[in-house]
Amino acid sequence: MINRVLVANRGEIARRVLRACRDLGVGTVAVHSDPDAAAPHVREADVAGRLPGASPAETYLSVERLLAVAKRAGADAVHPGYGFLSENADFARAVADAGLTWIGPPPEAIAAMGSKIEAKKLMAAADVPVLPEIDPARVGDADLPLLVKASAGGGGRGMRVVRTPEELRDAVAGARREAESAFGDPTVFCEPLLEDARHIEVQILADAHGTVWTLGERECSIQRRHQKIIEEAPSPAVGPELRARLCGAAASAARAIGYAGAGTVEFMLARDGRFYFLEVNTRLQVEHPVTECVYGVDLVRLQIEVAEGARLPAAPPEPRGHAVEVRLYAEDPAQDWRPASGTLHTFEVPDADAEFAVPAAYGLRLDSGVESGSEVGVHYDPMLAKVIAWAPSRAAAARRLAAALRGARIHGLTTNRDLLVRILEEPGFLDGATDTGYLDRVGLDTLAAPLADEAAVRVSALAAALAQAAASRAGAAVLGGLPSGWRNVRSQPQRRTFQGPGGPVDVDYRLDRNGLTSELCPGTSLLSAAPDGVVLDHDGLRETFTVTAAGDAVHVDSRLGPVTLVAVPRFADPSGRIAPGSLLAPMPGTVVRVETEPGAEVAEGRTLVVLEAMKMEHRIAAPSAGTVAELNVTAGQQVESGAVLAVIEGTPE
């Protein structure tokens, strides 16, 4: 029996494993880097050990430090979660050599699937359909389009699409850099690109006594940068006959490598109905909650029990209903998926029926690595949480999930929440027309549009101004119940200016014996105003606005959509002005490459600097055509958010 588990991970998955351990009565040990010292998973464990440093290499990827914490804390088992060392055969062996139980598949199975190149050969030998491998040095025009892929790791890192011969060299070089940084192995290979295919995967669970479960399929086709953002079970494209073939291939793959524990066999499903092996993820998947909901199982608990030597029943439970999961990221889809870092002032998802567990009945599940006040840094993946809806039908699950996201209060960081809601409500998605080309086909101009339109921004700005006015009068001895600006006779309007999502918003209003009048929102009347909330009669409807101030930012949540505003001071500080044409770092990061030089003529949109942050490369492009007047960075340099990387002077007409 396992008595105490060290969770060799962080964030959401660490909390998920800790919850399963608590349910089993198993003691827990957390680990943390210095930036994660105050993270929720650290508090929730029985004991926590520090991994000095900030970067993954010196913390969550340090086998020596992880095992040292396990020894000090008296752990007798290690659960790796996903990512980091979860698919590292050497780590699994080191755990066993230290006399600890490894909660995962045998190191030999991990090693067999650790190289995608070798894994494809093994699967072909087991009669599992595979795509041909193409040597990057031997690519010809007939091989295009193709996909460059890292042989080690996953999560979309080290992957590039190549459509023309001119793109190949840079794509291979970029994939190698990213693979080396993320997985310590720069090996890449190429394979044919299946256009508009579906990404389908089968959950497997096997014990050490020969029983292999296949727990249906998940569809994970909606992806950005080859990383999944929406997953569901079952797939709307898979019927009983295809499901049987997929599950049969997955079971064959598991038996071919002597698998035990939880894992996932991933396939690409082409438009003609044929499917091809991609890889075996020898670990728990991010999207495991949708399978847990549909099959009514706890995969982490089963992982622990299998590691203890338990036998699985001969057959898994029968599936029930449909589950959809979204990954909530701190990123801006409209700005090339630019990640965000900083303080998450508010994080609330109301009406969640369960956290890190299957709801007692159809309902909403939340698996989050953050809470209100959490700091989101630049060293790790920007995923904040997963929100999962489980319902009798796919349409019901999508509706429940969209409503939950609309009602969530998320302040302080830009997220992909609005994009997720728009996808869940988009007709093509609801019809099941999801494939890997979905985002490009529907278009980010549609899907990344804010939920709050211009009219909603205006009335939200009015509500923010009225809430601030109420706050200034709070506790006043005379007429304290009236917001600032109230006059017995008509006077000059009150004025405030906010920077809104689309630019400045000037708010003017009067409050007198006749009520509220505002040219910004004609016909809107005030029903009540408090520092944290305003009720307006707007377009003949009673609308409630929840207002939250955080520094200069004002967050307004309502049925009309979330709006973040920034108060504009009446007198700007001239020392804070930035020279026109400045190219600013959108986030803290490391300069990987500089692709220009002082005096160079550049076109609008040309990549000038490549930054690495949150495990991914980000291209920083020229905001306009012109000449590079200043270049302030070199490769390898660390930069802070807002740093001036270069200055572009416009080309005279």
Side-chain angles (χ1 to χ4, degrees):
M1 298 292 288
I2 291 172
N3 294 303
R4 181 169 295 174
V5 172
L6 179 135
V7 184
N9 219 296
R10 64 180 298 278
E12 166 266 328
I13 185 56
R15 298 183 77 189
R16 168 70 183 90
V17 176
L18 292 172
R19 198 275 304 163
C21 289
R22 286 196 300 272
D23 288 351
L24 284 168
V26 174
T28 54
V29 182
V31 290
H32 67 86
S33 64
D34 290 338
D36 280 342
H41 79 274
V42 178
R43 297 196 309 272
E44 291 170 358
D46 296 334
V47 65
R50 177 185 174 227
L51 304 173
S55 72
E58 59 189 348
T59 56
Y60 300 104
L61 291 175
S62 174
V63 174
E64 180 181 355
R65 289 181 175 179
L66 290 167
L67 293 180
V69 172
K71 181 178 180 179
R72 289 198 305 273
D76 58 358
V78 172
H79 193 300
Y82 53 69
F84 294 128
L85 292 170
S86 62
E87 295 180 278
N88 187 303
D90 290 338
F91 181 46
R93 292 189 184 100
V95 168
D97 290 345
L100 309 178
T101 299
W102 169 252
I103 303 175
E108 296 76 18
I110 298 174
M113 295 294 101
S115 164
K116 292 185 176 66
I117 296 173
E118 296 305 315
K120 292 176 73 166
K121 294 176 182 177
L122 281 171
M123 292 301 105
D127 293 327
V128 178
V130 300
L131 286 168
E133 175 199 340
I134 305 170
D135 185 340
R138 299 180 181 274
V139 171
D141 291 352
D143 298 317
L144 301 174
L146 56 77
L147 190 62
V148 182
K149 300 178 68 173
S151 182
R157 296 173 184 88
M159 296 180 69
R160 300 287 191 281
V161 172
V162 176
R163 298 186 181 278
T164 67
E166 295 75 22
E167 297 172 344
L168 180 64
R169 182 178 177 180
D170 285 348
V172 170
R176 282 177 172 154
R177 281 195 309 273
E178 210 164 75
E180 172 70 29
S181 174
F183 316 121
D185 182 352
T187 306
V188 300
F189 67 100
C190 302
E191 66 184 18
L193 177 67
L194 293 181
E195 302 276 18
D196 302 329
R198 291 176 182 261
H199 190 135
I200 306 292
E201 60 189 31
V202 175
Q203 175 70 55
I204 59 173
L205 185 71
D207 61 24
H209 309 285
T211 301
V212 177
W213 281 4
T214 55
L215 293 159
E217 84 287 345
R218 298 186 286 254
E219 168 128 3
C220 314
S221 298
I222 298 182
Q223 304 175 4
R224 54 92 168 111
R225 289 186 166 185
H226 309 290
Q227 287 184 308
K228 307 159 189 173
I229 56 174
I230 295 184
E231 300 104 346
E232 58 181 306
S235 165
V238 176
E241 188 273 335
L242 178 56
R243 180 170 299 118
R245 290 195 289 124
L246 284 163
C247 289
S252 295
R255 291 190 174 98
I257 57 175
Y259 203 83
T264 300
V265 186
E266 302 200 352
F267 301 95
M268 291 301 290
L269 176 63
R271 285 177 289 184
D272 61 8
R274 291 185 291 179
F275 61 86
Y276 303 92
F277 170 82
L278 276 181
E279 61 184 334
V280 176
N281 292 127
T282 53
R283 54 172 168 80
L284 198 67
Q285 288 279 86
V286 177
E287 55 271 24
H288 73 274
V290 294
T291 297
E292 290 189 323
C293 289
V294 169
Y295 280 85
V297 296
D298 183 331
L299 288 172
V300 178
R301 179 175 185 145
L302 288 168
Q303 280 185 298
I304 295 171
E305 291 175 346
V306 165
E308 291 179 320
R311 290 178 178 269
L312 293 172
E318 289 297 315
R320 186 164 67 96
H322 199 103
V324 182
E325 169 184 295
V326 296
R327 302 189 191 188
L328 186 67
Y329 282 100
E331 66 183 11
D332 188 348
Q335 297 295 323
D336 195 28
W337 310 100
R338 179 183 298 166
S341 60
T343 303
L344 186 64
H345 296 293
T346 308
F347 183 77
E348 297 175 2
V349 181
D351 302 325
D353 299 293
E355 291 189 48
F356 305 104
V358 177
Y362 292 126
L364 190 73
R365 168 174 171 173
L366 175 66
D367 285 20
S368 170
V370 297
E371 57 190 12
S372 296
S374 289
E375 290 292 329
V376 177
V378 300
H379 299 286
Y380 316 112
D381 188 274
M383 190 176 77
L384 303 176
K386 304 177 311 197
V387 189
I388 306 99
W390 176 40
S393 68
R394 183 173 185 270
R399 181 172 61 187
R400 175 70 191 273
L401 189 50
L405 291 170
R406 279 185 176 273
R409 298 179 65 232
I410 308 168
H411 304 154
L413 295 176
T414 301
T415 72
N416 65 339
R417 182 256 302 272
D418 292 10
L419 170 91
L420 297 173
V421 172
R422 291 202 178 277
I423 291 174
L424 293 168
E425 296 177 345
E426 194 269 324
F429 172 84
L430 294 174
D431 288 341
T434 56
D435 54 51
T436 54
Y438 175 86
L439 291 181
D440 291 334
R441 185 174 64 254
V442 180
L444 286 181
D445 54 342
T446 297
L447 295 174
L451 294 176
D453 59 18
E454 292 183 9
V457 171
R458 290 195 296 270
V459 69
S460 296
L462 176 60
L466 291 167
Q468 288 186 336
S472 69
R473 292 286 298 162
V478 180
L479 301 178
L482 295 175
S484 174
W486 190 91
R487 297 290 186 274
N488 191 45
V489 295
R490 191 174 182 85
S491 182
Q492 291 295 315
Q494 299 292 303
R495 291 189 174 89
R496 293 179 186 269
T497 299
F498 297 100
Q499 185 67 32
V505 183
D506 296 316
V507 181
D508 58 59
Y509 67 91
R510 290 186 178 88
L511 278 174
D512 55 31
R513 63 179 66 188
N514 297 316
L516 171 71
T517 57
S518 172
E519 294 181 6
L520 184 67
C521 303
T524 298
S525 58
L526 175 64
L527 300 181
S528 66
D532 59 355
V534 172
V535 182
L536 300 174
D537 187 308
H538 178 63
D539 289 339
L541 297 174
R542 179 189 176 99
E543 299 279 6
T544 300
F545 300 84
T546 302
V547 182
T548 307
D552 291 334
V554 183
H555 305 281
V556 184
D557 294 288
S558 75
R559 178 189 67 88
L560 304 176
V563 176
T564 295
L565 305 160
V566 177
V568 176
R570 293 182 62 186
F571 305 104
D573 182 359
S575 65
R577 293 176 181 171
I578 298 172
S582 294
L583 189 69
L584 305 181
M587 70 207 83
T590 302
V591 177
V592 174
R593 198 165 66 259
V594 177
E595 298 187 358
T596 188
E597 58 186 15
E601 297 289 330
V602 296
E604 181 180 352
R606 176 186 160 184
T607 299
L608 303 183
V609 178
V610 179
L611 286 182
E612 182 183 63
M614 294 184 172
K615 299 184 179 181
M616 299 289 285
E617 289 189 359
H618 307 275
R619 296 179 175 272
I620 314 301
S624 59
T627 303
V628 179
E630 293 182 24
L631 185 61
N632 303 323
V633 293
T634 58
Q637 181 177 339
Q638 296 281 334
V639 296
E640 294 299 320
S641 178
V644 179
L645 307 176
V647 177
I648 310 300
E649 291 185 349
T651 302
E653 297 182 0

